[in-house]
Amino acid sequence: EPKVDGLAVSLTYENGVLVTGATRGDGFIGEDVTPNLKTIRAIPLRIPVEGKKKPPRLVEVRGEVYFPKKDFEAMNKRLATAGERTFANPRNTAAGTVRQKNSAITASRPLTIYVYGVGNLEGTELDTHWEVLDLLREMGFRVSPDTSRYKDLESVQTAYEKFMKRYKDWDYEADGMVVKVNSFVQQEALGAVGHAPRWAIAYKFPAEEGVTKLVDIGINVGRTGTLNPYAILEPVRVGGVTITTATLHNLDDIRRKDIRIGDTVVLKRAGEVIPQVMRPVLELRTGKERNFRMPKKCPECGEPVSRLGEEVMYYCTNPACPAQLVRNIEHFVSKGAMDIEGFGTRQTEKFVELGLLKDAADLYYLEAKDLLNLEGFAEKATENLLESIAASKDRPLWRLITALGIRHVGSTFAQTLSRHFASIDDLMRASEDDLLRVEGIGPEIAKSIVLWFSQPRNRRYIEKLRKAGVQMTRKKEEAAPVTGTFSGMTFVITGTLPTMSREVAARFIEEHGGKVVGSISKNTDYLVLGAEPGTTKFSKAQELGIKMIDEKQLQRLAEGKG
């Protein structure tokens, strides 16, 4: 499938009616932009658009909203003629348009959509991704006509080469193609790593390159104290975007590429997003170029810089470094962590500068009198921020673990940890050996977690959060896989059960140690059968000799009476 470069959205339909339209966000939480998405003509408000076929009870359609290139160019031409500000590129303009507070602005711009799959789908049983795309077409959705199906990887390579010759002529921006395994049974067998499925991969087109002068090399201090060099460039347009800075990764990478201050350099947009310096143009050197040296003192706080063992990164040794503090608080309040609305970079920098925040825990000790005299904090804004901070105290344990900012521990590993440790205290007491027994946690992550909790200032930080009333134990839905009568068993649910919804039935199975999957395979132990079951699952279970049980039999099985 073409990898359309737009804004990923999720459209939820109940009994054929569009009820929610959201951005995909971090894969767990996105923004509700239903009114805006309803203005896009290519998104059906009801399905099916044609025919008398009964729509699915529930379907979540996933797709990419984009701004057609011709329409984007025409709009920029009109704006330029009128002496107004033009837009940088179709992708960012599409994203900004969908997020507008005024739906009339969204409606005034010719956005459209290509859909590429479904999340949840009830009432219809399908075996392959190709069947899903056919169903989406039947329901009135736009599926890219360049989507195609092949039997082997050699044919996929041929398709890529054809795409390479044609993609710049498409009326939408694309940065590659997505190659997917068609069979759902095979997709399930392959599984995923974190958020990344093993059954799909992005095959990117070569990034566009540009040439410009490297004016200087600056240092950005990250939230864990890393000193991250970046290139300060003479402005250059690459892929429709003006670039003035680019990543240089680390000192070893700069030396390996022999990049010097004053060089003419080749840069590209990695993944069509992050610009990075690739190499110097050696034949254009004048002899005035200078080698870059990592500073011995942190450019933000002036404290010494060190390099740990054989690591490539240099670190500021001062835990109170203002740059680290700002980045740490930004991370703490972010959507993927404690999700505190209304508190961004500008507010973080201001509050740190005024001494209101010496760590993220100080957020929970802010009072209205601290904020009301600040610019941008009228009574309503102050009330909203304090309410958002208070609401964050009750976030799931995995969000708090993410928010702590432990090196190598992002949201995926945080969720894994919250399923195995019932509280922050349990995690704090865990040894490296304890952590290594958790599936997916390796030596480097285990060492990083133990090191973080061993530091007195971090333990004081935890106690400060606890005193403020922040939830430090896991919620029921985060519980570790339990042992029980269903341990080691795999279940599939189909049809409508008498008293349980599918979600309740799945939770019931998991609470007794079982695993619930979406499709039948030879590894399935039981098919839980309700009214109007899916014919595909039923037939497949018969073919493979899978045991079929109803809701009452499931409950008896849980009691050990099956």
Side-chain angles (χ1 to χ4, degrees):
E1 302 169 352
K3 189 174 180 298
V4 181
D5 196 13
L7 177 71
V9 297
S10 169
L11 309 166
T12 302
Y13 292 80
E14 292 179 2
N15 296 314
V17 178
L18 177 62
V19 292
T20 307
T23 63
R24 290 288 294 161
D26 62 3
F28 292 103
I29 297 174
E31 299 168 62
D32 186 343
V33 287
T34 309
N36 291 353
L37 291 176
K38 282 183 173 180
T39 70
I40 299 173
R41 292 183 180 179
I43 296 177
L45 300 182
R46 285 181 166 273
I47 56 175
V49 173
E50 296 175 3
K52 297 179 181 178
K53 218 172 180 180
K54 190 177 178 182
R57 288 191 298 272
L58 175 70
V59 60
E60 179 214 342
V61 178
R62 296 176 181 178
E64 200 86 6
V65 170
Y66 68 92
F67 208 128
K69 288 194 289 192
K70 288 179 183 176
D71 293 320
F72 177 77
E73 289 161 8
M75 181 181 72
N76 262 353
K77 194 172 181 180
R78 288 194 301 272
L79 291 170
T81 302
E84 297 180 34
R85 183 177 66 88
T86 58
F87 292 93
N89 59 67
R91 182 192 183 281
N92 292 349
T93 308
T97 300
V98 170
R99 292 187 172 104
Q100 286 287 336
K101 290 184 178 178
N102 183 354
S103 296
I105 296 174
T106 311
S108 71
R109 294 177 184 168
L111 299 181
T112 188
I113 189 172
Y114 274 138
V115 300
Y116 52 75
V118 296
N120 201 354
L121 176 62
E122 289 187 6
T124 304
E125 300 294 341
L126 300 173
D127 294 325
T128 66
H129 181 67
W130 192 258
E131 290 173 338
V132 166
L133 296 180
D134 282 341
L135 176 64
L136 288 169
R137 290 188 188 96
E138 284 176 23
M139 292 193 297
F141 293 96
R142 297 181 75 234
V143 175
S144 171
D146 293 292
T147 300
S148 47
R149 179 174 48 167
Y150 297 94
K151 290 184 178 180
D152 52 55
L153 289 175
E154 289 76 14
S155 302
V156 171
Q157 181 62 35
T158 302
Y160 176 78
E161 289 161 7
K162 287 179 181 176
F163 275 25
M164 276 287 296
K165 293 173 183 175
R166 297 172 46 216
Y167 82 95
K168 290 188 179 178
D169 297 326
W170 290 340
D171 196 28
Y172 53 87
E173 290 196 326
D175 58 1
M177 71 182 197
V178 181
V179 184
K180 297 178 180 176
V181 172
N182 194 28
S183 160
F184 289 152
V185 170
Q186 291 178 0
Q187 286 184 12
E188 186 180 322
L190 287 163
V193 178
H195 294 309
R198 290 193 180 99
W199 47 266
I201 191 166
Y203 194 170
K204 294 293 190 77
F205 299 140
E208 289 190 46
E209 294 186 342
V211 177
T212 189
K213 182 77 75 177
L214 174 60
V215 177
D216 204 352
I217 294 178
I219 293 290
N220 173 48
V221 182
R223 65 178 176 83
T224 58
T226 55
L227 269 62
N228 308 304
Y230 65 93
I232 300 169
L233 306 163
E234 285 185 359
V236 60
R237 284 186 70 79
V238 180
V241 176
T242 300
I243 294 172
T244 56
T245 60
T247 183
L248 287 167
H249 298 302
N250 53 60
L251 181 61
D252 287 0
D253 195 54
I254 293 170
R255 287 175 175 168
R256 181 177 60 81
K257 293 176 178 175
D258 190 24
I259 294 168
R260 304 177 189 180
I261 297 168
D263 266 333
T264 298
V265 294
V266 176
L267 58 97
K268 74 173 184 179
R269 289 176 66 203
E272 297 298 321
V273 179
I274 304 166
Q276 60 179 262
V277 175
M278 301 306 296
R279 61 186 181 278
V281 184
L282 297 177
E283 54 269 30
L284 294 181
R285 278 190 174 159
T286 63
K288 295 180 180 179
E289 295 79 14
R290 296 178 288 118
N291 286 317
F292 168 73
R293 298 183 189 281
M294 188 64 73
K296 293 182 179 179
K297 293 186 177 181
C298 172
E300 295 288 344
C301 68
E303 291 295 311
V305 167
S306 69
R307 192 175 192 177
L308 305 178
E310 297 181 359
E311 287 199 29
V312 297
M313 301 306 295
Y314 286 75
Y315 292 84
C316 168
T317 57
N318 176 18
C321 173
Q324 287 186 61
L325 178 55
V326 168
R327 304 287 188 282
N328 268 311
I329 295 171
E330 283 177 341
H331 174 71
F332 188 92
V333 304
S334 67
K335 280 188 177 294
M338 296 301 271
D339 191 16
I340 297 176
E341 291 184 19
F343 202 83
T345 302
R346 189 167 55 85
Q347 291 89 344
T348 302
E349 290 173 344
K350 182 191 293 184
F351 282 36
V352 168
E353 185 183 335
L354 292 172
L356 291 171
L357 298 178
K358 294 185 173 60
D359 57 36
D362 281 337
L363 284 162
Y364 297 103
Y365 296 88
L366 291 173
E367 297 178 9
K369 61 183 175 63
D370 299 321
L371 311 180
L372 285 170
N373 293 327
L374 302 179
E375 183 186 346
F377 281 93
E379 192 171 330
K380 187 61 179 174
T382 297
E383 182 185 330
N384 289 343
L385 177 59
L386 293 177
E387 284 179 2
S388 184
I389 291 170
S392 75
K393 292 180 183 181
D394 195 39
R395 298 284 187 247
L397 178 61
W398 72 263
R399 284 188 171 275
L400 176 59
I401 296 171
T402 304
L404 295 178
I406 302 168
R407 288 184 67 206
H408 309 306
V409 180
S411 60
T412 300
F413 286 124
Q415 288 171 74
T416 299
L417 291 166
S418 73
R419 287 195 292 270
H420 288 267
F421 297 97
S423 66
I424 284 291
D425 295 311
D426 286 350
L427 183 58
M428 203 179 325
R429 286 190 291 265
S431 66
E432 285 188 38
D433 286 341
D434 294 331
L435 290 160
L436 288 171
R437 282 192 282 271
V438 178
E439 187 177 354
I441 302 296
E444 193 172 1
I445 298 172
K447 189 176 292 184
S448 180
I449 293 168
V450 170
L451 177 63
W452 195 91
F453 282 112
S454 71
Q455 296 176 24
R457 62 185 171 87
N458 290 335
R459 286 179 173 264
R460 289 194 296 271
Y461 176 51
I462 292 292
E463 291 312 307
K464 194 171 175 182
L465 289 167
R466 192 195 309 275
K467 190 176 177 182
V470 174
Q471 172 79 21
M472 298 223 163
T473 57
R474 79 169 166 230
K475 298 188 173 185
K476 188 176 180 181
E477 60 268 24
E478 295 181 276
V482 295
T483 57
T485 48
F486 293 162
S487 290
M489 296 182 188
T490 301
F491 293 76
V492 174
I493 305 169
T494 186
T496 305
L497 301 179
T499 65
M500 296 182 184
S501 68
R502 288 196 191 196
E503 291 74 19
V504 170
R507 194 156 58 243
F508 177 81
I509 290 166
E510 287 165 356
E511 284 169 359
H512 287 81
K515 177 183 174 185
V516 180
V517 298
S519 57
I520 296 284
S521 73
K522 64 181 181 181
N523 297 320
T524 306
D525 293 290
Y526 291 97
L527 175 64
V528 181
L529 211 59
E532 299 180 16
T535 53
T536 304
K537 287 178 181 174
F538 183 79
S539 301
K540 192 77 174 176
Q542 280 187 320
E543 180 188 327
L544 295 174
I546 305 299
K547 294 177 186 174
M548 300 187 209
I549 57 175
D550 60 19
E551 184 182 303
K552 283 186 178 178
Q553 289 171 309
L554 176 69
Q555 291 167 335
R556 283 178 60 81
L557 197 64
E559 295 166 4
K561 299 174 183 176

